[in-house]
């Protein structure tokens, strides 16, 4: 598969119901298209919670939480109120 700055995902569905999938004009299977689609698009709306149910994304949420936690702990130390002078 060619790697470019541009990603073109294409799926051709015939009138008979068979389909062919391509990424940058390279034939791929439908599972690969689904996996890439899940990485590229996260729809938000009535069923927004559904991405939370995908176990493969749980580690990403935990990593983001840890990064955010570390950021706030480090930032908090920069803005501590000065000690009262005697």
């Amino acid at each position: 598969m060619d790697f470019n700055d541009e990603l073109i995902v294409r799926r051709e569905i015939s009138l008979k119901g068979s389909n062919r999938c391509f990424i940058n004009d390279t034939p791929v299977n439908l599972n690969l298209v689904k996996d890439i689609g899940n990485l590229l698009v996260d729809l938000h709306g009535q069923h927004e919670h559904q991405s939370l149910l995908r176990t493969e994304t749980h580690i990403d949420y935990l990593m983001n939480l840890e990064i955010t936690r570390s950021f706030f702990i480090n930032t908090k130390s920069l803005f501590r109120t000065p000690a009262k002078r005697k």
Side-chain angles (χ1 to χ4, degrees):
M1 185 177 327
D2 294 330
F3 293 97
N4 302 325
D5 290 338
E6 192 172 77
L7 178 69
I8 300 172
V9 179
R10 185 178 80 216
R11 182 176 179 195
E12 298 174 354
I13 304 173
S14 73
L15 293 175
K16 295 179 183 178
S18 63
N19 69 76
R20 299 182 322 165
C21 300
F22 302 87
I23 296 177
N24 291 347
D25 291 325
T26 301
V28 296
N29 63 34
L30 182 58
N31 286 333
L32 181 59
V33 172
K34 287 180 181 179
D35 290 343
I36 289 176
N38 284 333
L39 295 173
L40 295 175
V41 178
D42 190 11
L43 299 177
H44 296 274
Q46 181 178 1
H47 302 288
E48 190 169 320
H49 66 282
Q50 289 182 348
S51 64
L52 295 174
L53 300 176
R54 293 191 351 241
T55 56
E56 62 270 12
T57 62
H58 291 174
I59 191 68
D60 294 329
Y61 292 125
L62 292 173
M63 292 298 293
N64 288 336
L65 179 64
E66 181 58 30
I67 290 168
T68 303
R69 184 176 163 273
S70 297
F71 172 79
F72 283 114
I73 289 170
N74 292 332
T75 305
K76 181 180 175 183
S77 67
L78 295 174
F79 294 100
R80 285 194 178 138
T81 55
K84 292 183 181 178
R85 295 184 182 159
K86 293 182 180 179

